[in-house]
Amino acid sequence: MKTTTTRAKFAWALLIILSMSSIARGQQQSTISGDAAASRIAWWREAKFGLFMHWGVYSIPGRGEWVQWNEQIPVNEYAKLAGQFSPDKFDPDAWAAIAKAAGMKYTVLTSRHHDGFALFDDPGSNFTAMKSAAHRDFVAEYANAVRKAGLRVGLYYSPLDWRFPGFFFPDLYQASAVEMREQYHRQLNELGSHYGKIDILWFDGGGVDWLGFNGVSFKGEWKARPKDQHYSGSFSWQDDQAVGNLRKLQPPIIVNDRTDAPADFQSREGDGAMGNFDNQHPWELCTTLTSGAWGYQPNAKIKPLNDVIRLLVGAVGRDGNLLINVGPRPDGQIEPKQVERLREVGDWLKRYGQSIYATRGGPYLPGYFGVSTYHDRTIYLHILNPTGKALSLPALPAKILSCSSLTGGGVACKQANDSVEITLNGNADTVDTIIELTLASSAVAIKPITTPVTAKE
């Protein structure tokens, strides 16, 4: 009876883990401040738009990047996928060309996901692309192609590894946890030493609070650690040491907030995590081009063009970036229909990119009308929710010299002491009506201006 009860409790604990397994949480570290940090991340703030690519042996079953965990595939069975991994249509130059056609300025590739399979060479591991059927270092080929195309090179890396019991129970299996940590430090050193200039290291699954999928503890009974409590065991990833060494190897590199080391930018994940305006901390929304998993799934539903554009405009108008993901097929190709959608976004940016690139969010805060961006003496009003021909916004503390519509039709602007009145003459763009306001002075000095959250206010 005692054994049965113990097993039941353990099973219940695993159910808790499973319920949290699909939730990726950023550590939300405070970002590094100061002139050096601002200079390091300046290019990224101007870039605004990047391509994320989740690709590895999990593309073979085609059920997403979490297939091993979700289906509880035994480690030894899952490892056999490496013997099938030989993508004969892998073309990193094509990937780079797709990103450029989409108007993206940087790319991020999953160099190693939670399953432990590395797309790069690591002499200390047997679970790598170099030791797969492909016998290739895909990170090296990718980095060279992206750099050659004039794009910034980003690598995703997950310190956690489902093959190590020490991730789930670091205090019970300390030797395993330490071995996993050694792999993390070693592989991060490999990435920082042998692949040329790396612009972004995009961490996931790091930080001690993520151990055991955000914490399962046993103190008389199995239970999840409350969200407001931090891990208090003896294990440490020693992130400061690992990331500190990476920064020595790659001084200009920027990293996100999913470790316990100081970060350059914060991560928000998923369409619903757009969140609030924040011009104090660099941040990025990462989400998928398709509905469903981040890794390859056949016939995944692609988001409509209008939705993708609104995600981009919404993030930039809140002073963030957008990193949108595709999952290449097992053969290395990105689905043609997904490529088509990305090219459509690129066509939109060719027309209206001046209101996106090198801008900052504001000065009008997001409201019922949409969002705003600015650059130097120009404010761009992105009217995402037109309620008619007239739009009334709070007053601007700067003189408007002219106004025009980038998206077609005429526009008239009237500046009063207490408001800015905008009248649209013609059809509003169904996706994003963009009004350009030219000021007599720089918009940089204008403090954020609150706008009504509903049309009736």
Side-chain angles (χ1 to χ4, degrees):
M1 177 66 71
K2 183 176 180 180
T3 301
T4 302
T5 302
T6 301
R7 286 177 178 171
K9 287 181 177 179
F10 187 76
W12 179 78
L14 288 180
L15 284 175
I16 293 175
I17 296 175
L18 280 167
S19 71
M20 294 185 280
S21 65
S22 63
I23 303 173
R25 291 182 169 87
Q27 301 299 319
Q28 294 302 305
Q29 299 288 345
S30 294
T31 51
I32 305 169
S33 60
D35 292 342
S39 176
R40 188 166 59 239
I41 204 168
W43 72 264
W44 182 88
R45 277 198 177 276
E46 294 188 355
K48 299 302 179 187
F49 193 28
L51 179 65
F52 212 176
M53 290 173 287
H54 275 63
W55 190 56
V57 293
Y58 46 78
S59 66
I60 296 172
R63 297 191 293 277
E65 74 289 355
W66 279 70
V67 63
Q68 181 186 13
W69 177 256
N70 289 341
E71 299 180 16
Q72 293 291 281
I73 301 173
V75 169
N76 291 341
E77 285 297 313
Y78 187 83
K80 295 177 182 177
L81 291 173
Q84 306 171 40
F85 192 64
S86 185
D88 58 345
K89 296 182 180 179
F90 171 74
D91 183 353
D93 291 314
W95 284 4
I98 290 166
K100 292 193 75 168
M104 294 157 164
K105 304 299 184 181
Y106 60 99
T107 64
V108 178
L109 172 66
T110 50
S111 68
R112 190 176 73 70
H113 205 264
H114 310 325
D115 61 355
F117 181 74
L119 290 175
F120 56 96
D121 186 22
D122 172 19
S125 172
N126 289 321
F127 202 36
T128 71
M130 284 294 290
K131 295 169 185 174
S132 71
H135 299 293
R136 294 169 69 177
D137 188 325
F138 293 107
V139 166
E141 296 182 46
Y142 152 81
N144 290 336
V146 170
R147 202 176 292 119
K148 182 175 63 177
L151 300 173
R152 297 281 186 158
V153 178
L155 295 174
Y156 164 113
Y157 182 84
S158 171
L160 79 85
D161 190 327
W162 291 326
R163 300 176 302 160
F164 290 82
F167 167 68
F168 303 99
F169 301 102
D171 297 296
L172 185 62
Y173 299 107
Q174 286 188 3
S176 174
V178 169
E179 185 182 359
M180 179 176 60
R181 181 179 66 203
E182 290 173 349
Q183 174 183 260
Y184 158 43
H185 286 230
R186 181 185 71 246
Q187 292 188 337
L188 206 60
N189 186 73
E190 289 289 327
L191 292 173
S193 300
H194 303 301
Y195 296 92
K197 184 174 181 288
I198 305 299
D199 299 289
I200 304 169
L201 204 297
W202 210 103
F203 287 104
D204 193 19
V208 292
D209 278 349
W210 231 79
L211 292 168
F213 293 123
N214 220 40
V216 175
S217 61
F218 181 80
K219 292 184 179 179
E221 62 177 335
W222 290 106
K223 60 182 179 180
R225 185 175 67 245
K227 291 182 179 180
D228 61 348
Q229 293 183 16
H230 298 288
Y231 169 77
S232 59
S234 60
F235 177 75
S236 169
W237 286 107
Q238 299 177 356
D239 285 323
D240 284 344
Q241 178 182 328
V243 177
N245 179 62
L246 177 67
R247 289 191 186 278
K248 289 179 181 178
L249 295 170
Q250 300 275 348
I253 202 168
I254 59 174
V255 304
N256 67 340
D257 61 344
R258 296 190 177 189
T259 73
D260 291 325
D264 295 288
F265 66 96
Q266 295 180 345
S267 302
R268 303 180 185 182
E269 182 170 327
D271 293 8
M274 179 77 75
N276 297 324
F277 178 92
D278 182 1
N279 65 355
Q280 300 302 304
H281 309 95
W283 64 270
E284 174 187 74
L285 177 71
C286 64
T287 190
T288 53
L289 184 65
T290 62
S291 300
W294 297 68
Y296 174 67
Q297 288 181 302
N299 304 312
K301 184 179 180 181
I302 303 172
K303 291 173 182 174
L305 174 62
N306 288 6
D307 290 0
V308 179
I309 290 173
R310 285 169 176 262
L311 283 168
L312 175 60
V313 172
V316 176
R318 288 169 173 78
D319 207 42
N321 283 17
L322 178 66
L323 181 66
I324 200 156
N325 179 79
V326 296
R329 301 186 311 205
D331 64 8
Q333 286 191 316
I334 299 172
E335 285 282 7
K337 290 184 179 179
Q338 295 180 30
V339 174
E340 181 181 354
R341 177 68 77 246
L342 292 176
R343 291 185 185 279
E344 290 172 344
V345 178
D347 290 341
W348 185 88
L349 281 166
K350 287 176 183 176
R351 298 192 297 271
Y352 310 121
Q354 68 195 76
S355 69
I356 298 295
Y357 301 123
T359 65
R360 296 296 299 268
Y364 286 113
L365 294 178
Y368 80 87
F369 78 97
V371 300
S372 68
T373 59
Y374 71 87
H375 176 75
D376 195 14
R377 295 189 301 114
T378 304
I379 294 174
Y380 301 96
L381 303 175
H382 294 265
I383 304 174
L384 302 174
N385 303 300
T387 56
K389 299 296 184 182
L391 173 64
S392 180
L393 292 172
L396 275 174
K399 184 178 180 180
I400 298 175
L401 298 180
S402 65
C403 70
S404 60
S405 173
L406 297 185
T407 47
V411 61
C413 300
K414 180 180 179 182
Q415 187 172 22
N417 290 333
D418 61 349
S419 67
V420 173
E421 306 294 331
I422 296 170
T423 303
L424 301 174
N425 302 314
N427 295 326
D429 188 277
T430 57
V431 183
D432 178 15
T433 299
I434 307 174
I435 304 302
E436 180 183 76
L437 306 178
T438 303
L439 308 182
S441 56
S442 175
V444 175
I446 302 176
K447 295 181 180 180
I449 302 170
T450 301
T451 60
V453 295
T454 66
K456 295 181 180 179
E457 293 184 6

